[in-house]
Amino acid sequence: MKRIVTTMLCGFYLSCAAAQHVSGQYITDGHWDLKKNVNWVNLLRLNLSITLGKGSVEAATIHVAQTDHSVIGDWQGFCNIDAENTLAAIAVLGYMHQWDNAHLFAGVRNVNEDFFTSDVTALFINSSCGIFPTIAASYPIANYPLSGLTLYFDVTKGEWTFRNSLYNGVGYKGWKRHDNPFLVRPKRDGMFNISQLEYAHRGARYFAGVAIHSRQFPVGSDSENSSSDASCDVSKNHDDDAPARHTSCAWWLYGEQPLWTTDGKAVLGMVQYSENTNRNSTCYRYAEVGCAYRDDRNECGLSGQYARYYNGTEYSAEVTWKHKLTESIALQPSFQYISNSDGNYTVASLRLYFDF
């Protein structure tokens, strides 16, 4: 069944390529713990946009392949593309209507499409830079590589933007009857809503947001894995134990400010903080500070993170450098040091991006 679906999707992309916008990105990432453990992760994303009236039909699929599991015992997930091998999963599929200052989307989508990521956080490889573990590790939501039925809208007025998404309370990535992103099961999965207010001015960006879930899921015994893996672990427990009908929320603040700019070069500072209101959540507090340098060909960054989990505290630091070899190819080495109650870890990675 998966092979049939993949063949149909490829055919659909190719048939529309001549008249519509088709793009994609391939990322290959090698990991080494500076000892004997290595892993090789590959991610392919294909995007399609078909203009229809005052909007567009949007589709995106993700395809993941890796040689082994994570090379270290960190909790947040040091690699933001690390996931189980996936032949083909839907990341986006639906209709986006556009006005001069607003958008409305209905269909399958995940939280990474619209929230959390900024120019600075997108540079770093650690999973928590893409979505706060107070959310990703505590709820089995539509977070990479999972997706779910979504109603999303945003409105922009001047330098202010408001975004809101309502999701099915659990994300899925399969093609089976009880595991597919088209499911809507509010009685069992609950509902999940994200609201975020943004302000942008002269290169500075500030976010404030809140995420509310109508269910409280049991803390998984393996939830100290990566934020994306933790989300999947909670989902597995969700299949065995019905979640409690208890509403909780997580809130966050984010600030990104240029510190120095001249002739196409800039240094930016970043700080973010998040809490979950339920202390029984897998992760209930997170903070990060960092800075990045940027010019036409290079991006360099340094960040430090703190995450308070139900079973302890994890500290991590990352230094990375992304260099554009051509307009479509970039190379990025990264080094991370991570410490938690299970041990101290170091990991080096080398990532290659290819956009087409």
Side-chain angles (χ1 to χ4, degrees), residues 278-292:
N278 192 316
R279 289 298 183 266
N280 293 322
S281 298
T282 301
C283 178
Y284 62 83
R285 185 176 296 126
Y286 173 78
E288 180 180 12
V289 294
C291 63

Side-chain angles (χ1 to χ4, degrees), residues 272-274 285-289 304-307:
Q272 54 185 341
Y273 182 81
S274 176
R285 185 176 296 126
Y286 173 78
E288 180 180 12
V289 294
Q305 303 169 339
Y306 156 87

Side-chain angles (χ1 to χ4, degrees), residues 139 169 186 189-192 212-216 244-248:
Y139 309 114
D189 295 347
M191 300 300 292
F192 180 66
I212 302 174
H213 206 302
S214 62
R215 296 290 184 272
Q216 180 62 42
R245 293 177 178 270
H246 176 75
T247 299
S248 63

